[in-house]
Amino acid sequence: MALKQKGSGDAAAADASKRRRVGFAGIDAGTEANECMQVFIARNPDDVGSEDSISIEPFDLNHFFGEDGKIYGYTDLKINVWISAISLHAYAEISFKETSDGGKGITDLKPVLQNIFGENLVEKDEFLETFSKECHYISEVVKNGTSIKHDASNEDDLAVEIVQVELQGAAAFLYSRLISLVLLLVEGSTPIDITDHGWEMLLIVKKAAPESPGSKFQLLGFAAVHHFYHYPESTRLRISQILVLPPYQGEGHGRRLLESINSIAESENIYDVTIEDPSDYLQYIRSSIDCLRLLTFEPIKPALGDMVLSLEETNLSKRTCSLTMVPPADLAETVRLKLKINKKQFLRCWEILIYLHLDSEDHKCIDNFRSCIYDRTKGELLGGASGTNGKRLLQMATSYDEDSSFAVYWTKEGADADDQTVEQQPEDLKIQEQQLNELVDNQIEDIVEVAKNVRSRGKDKLAA
């Protein structure tokens, strides 16, 4: 970690003297970390300090710097961090004009950076040496793993390999170096406890050209998965973390990792596959993959056809009849047994599959579909009760979204009627209805987005 102070000491002293003549300086407002800190991926030593370095965008650097996310005591502060694509070591260069205590102290930057990068954070000379000394680091991990077959549609795909390794030894050491990228790029992430039994890691790597010097493999991304017991005698597979390195995002590597995990689950007869707190985008990719798998799964086709027919023939607009889009219970179990898709995920995909088979020009049919989504959402949030003992939505402004955030609450049976008067006011019911409709609209938007992706990638499957 390098510290560079701009300007001379005499100038700094003169400025300090000038402030004393003028009077008291204002309270230091601080600088947000997001405004003064940048992180780059360095593919070779020449990238350090170069405009050719690949900049990455952490989801939020502020949360590493205290509750208010600010750095105090520096003028013209700039923090540049480079992470080696070869060894995953990090080097930080810090520059500023001057430091002064403006009432909030002077933030000690070193422990904060060490908290993010740990032992990966080294001085510049050592960082530059890692490009040559550790150029075979990834290869050593890969050679001890098991290669997983995946579909390859072009020559670039043929150079990509997915390797399954137990999270111990060299692989565990590699994960410890990947933690800093996980903390920077995955919101709400925490390091996994690799001392627990059952952890594995899938690495997606690209083979280097035979004539290329240095490492034989380039790390593109990884997934950390955990095998855990399911009563009475099976194992579930949970995806805990999945990350594609920024330079290689948007090239389908996340999809390849998910498809490989599904393949492992089927070959090892895992009970089912789950994902721990997936992001919206990861859920989008996952649902797209699972829907494509389900499109060619023969056992669901009769029930799916019946459901689509019911939506086409039923008129739910007047609410004289009702319809639920729930698949037969034995069908969800068949999907779990054969495809290892858990029930919650299958129900999500079921609605997408139904939408895929509807005629978007048939307004009555689309309205029926929306009514079913509305009834399901209302039932999940408010339950079946409609009186004062049922659940209620309460509008509640939060820092996340002041306009559309809410809490779900309910009253106890037998509670004093006077305590429930406010809950039954027409204005409250109107707000509740508005929020429910917003939730339904958001869910349908998500369904439509996945359906578009599935339709573009699975035209042949839809036509079958």
Side-chain angles (χ1 to χ4, degrees):
M1 185 169 67
L3 292 172
K4 294 182 180 180
Q5 185 169 357
K6 304 172 185 176
S8 66
D10 293 340
D15 286 344
S17 176
K18 185 177 181 180
R19 282 197 298 274
R20 285 195 293 272
R21 289 196 299 271
V22 172
F24 292 105
I27 297 297
D28 185 1
T31 303
E32 289 193 4
N34 287 332
E35 295 177 355
C36 65
M37 183 172 173
Q38 286 186 290
V39 183
F40 305 90
I41 297 289
R43 295 158 297 184
N44 54 64
D46 294 334
D47 280 350
V48 179
S50 168
E51 294 181 356
D52 295 331
S53 297
I54 300 171
S55 176
I56 69 175
E57 296 183 7
F59 71 91
D60 182 23
L61 290 167
N62 287 352
H63 85 283
F64 293 107
F65 291 85
E67 293 183 0
D68 61 0
K70 290 186 176 182
I71 301 171
Y72 295 98
Y74 296 85
T75 302
D76 297 339
L77 176 64
K78 190 173 184 180
I79 306 171
N80 288 330
V81 180
W82 287 271
I83 299 175
S84 168
I86 303 299
S87 68
L88 302 172
H89 280 92
Y91 160 67
E93 185 177 272
I94 303 170
S95 63
F96 52 88
K97 183 178 180 180
E98 63 177 359
T99 60
S100 62
D101 186 346
K104 295 289 187 74
I106 300 174
T107 303
D108 189 350
L109 299 173
K110 185 174 181 179
V112 180
L113 293 174
Q114 286 180 330
N115 185 47
I116 302 172
F117 299 101
E119 295 181 358
N120 296 349
L121 188 65
V122 296
E123 297 297 333
K124 186 174 184 179
D125 289 343
E126 184 179 351
F127 179 75
L128 295 176
E129 288 176 357
T130 62
F131 288 94
S132 57
K133 286 185 175 181
E134 301 205 26
C135 61
H136 300 294
Y137 177 66
I138 303 298
S139 301
E140 291 298 315
V141 179
V142 170
K143 75 176 185 181
N144 293 320
T146 302
S147 182
I148 306 297
K149 292 183 179 179
H150 67 95
D151 292 334
S153 56
N154 55 53
E155 291 185 7
D156 287 339
D157 291 342
L158 291 171
V160 172
E161 187 173 341
I162 296 176
V163 180
Q164 181 183 12
V165 295
E166 291 187 24
L167 209 45
Q168 58 186 14
F173 193 55
L174 170 60
Y175 175 75
S176 71
R177 291 189 178 181
L178 284 165
I179 287 174
S180 56
L181 281 171
V182 174
L183 294 176
L184 288 169
L185 297 170
V186 182
E187 185 174 3
S189 61
T190 55
I192 61 177
D193 185 359
I194 59 177
T195 61
D196 286 348
H197 177 71
W199 283 105
E200 289 183 342
M201 189 160 61
L202 271 70
L203 304 176
I204 183 162
V205 295
K206 188 172 184 179
K207 299 175 185 176
E211 66 277 6
S212 299
S215 178
K216 295 180 180 179
F217 292 97
Q218 191 173 32
L219 182 65
L220 308 179
F222 82 99
V225 298
H226 188 231
H227 296 254
F228 62 100
Y229 173 72
H230 181 269
Y231 180 84
E233 52 184 16
S234 59
T235 303
R236 306 185 84 174
L237 191 61
R238 175 183 294 150
I239 304 170
S240 178
Q241 293 174 347
I242 185 167
L243 176 68
V244 176
L245 274 58
Y248 316 110
Q249 292 176 359
E251 298 176 3
H253 301 310
R255 171 181 56 80
R256 292 186 181 96
L257 284 169
L258 288 174
E259 289 173 344
S260 296
I261 291 169
N262 290 334
S263 176
I264 291 170
E266 292 182 26
S267 64
E268 297 182 4
N269 197 25
I270 298 295
Y271 183 82
D272 64 11
V273 177
T274 63
I275 300 184
E276 183 178 334
D277 193 20
S279 66
D280 290 343
Y281 184 69
L282 180 56
Q283 184 57 56
Y284 163 80
I285 298 297
R286 177 195 187 194
S287 295
S288 298
I289 292 171
D290 286 340
C291 284
L292 284 167
R293 298 167 69 203
L294 287 163
L295 278 176
T296 57
F297 190 60
E298 291 296 329
I300 75 166
K301 290 184 177 180
L304 184 60
D306 291 343
M307 189 71 252
V308 172
L309 186 62
S310 296
L311 286 170
E312 291 172 344
E313 294 181 346
T314 306
N315 187 355
L316 300 179
S317 61
K318 296 183 179 180
R319 292 296 185 175
T320 56
C321 57
S322 63
L323 181 66
T324 57
M325 294 193 300
V326 180
D330 61 333
L331 187 57
E333 179 63 11
T334 300
V335 168
R336 184 199 64 75
L337 280 169
K338 299 296 184 180
L339 301 181
K340 309 306 176 184
I341 299 174
N342 68 70
K343 183 178 179 180
K344 182 178 180 181
Q345 173 66 1
F346 173 57
L347 294 178
R348 183 182 292 112
C349 292
W350 178 253
E351 293 178 346
I352 298 168
L353 291 170
I354 291 171
Y355 181 83
L356 274 167
H357 287 82
L358 298 179
D359 180 0
S360 59
E361 300 299 322
D362 186 341
H363 298 297
K364 184 192 77 171
C365 190
I366 297 299
D367 288 343
N368 286 342
F369 179 81
R370 189 188 189 284
S371 295
C372 290
I373 299 294
Y374 177 92
D375 290 343
R376 191 257 300 157
T377 304
K378 185 176 182 180
E380 290 173 351
L381 287 174
L382 304 180
S386 58
T388 57
N389 292 330
K391 296 178 184 177
R392 294 289 182 268
L393 289 183
L394 177 65
Q395 191 168 17
M396 182 178 293
T398 68
S399 58
Y400 178 75
D401 190 333
E402 292 187 5
D403 296 326
S404 60
S405 297
F406 63 90
V408 179
Y409 71 99
W410 60 91
T411 58
K412 296 180 180 179
E413 280 193 55
D416 193 298
D418 292 337
D419 295 334
Q420 302 179 35
T421 304
V422 176
E423 298 160 18
Q424 302 176 48
Q425 296 301 309
E427 185 62 28
D428 290 339
L429 295 175
K430 182 179 178 181
I431 293 173
Q432 175 179 294
E433 182 70 13
Q434 178 183 348
Q435 292 176 334
L436 270 171
N437 279 300
E438 288 175 359
L439 282 173
V440 171
D441 289 341
N442 290 337
Q443 290 186 44
I444 290 179
E445 284 179 12
D446 292 340
I447 289 172
V448 171
E449 285 303 309
V450 176
K452 285 180 180 178
N453 189 33
V454 173
R455 188 174 283 117
S456 65
R457 292 180 53 205
K459 293 178 180 178
D460 55 333
K461 297 177 181 180
L462 280 167

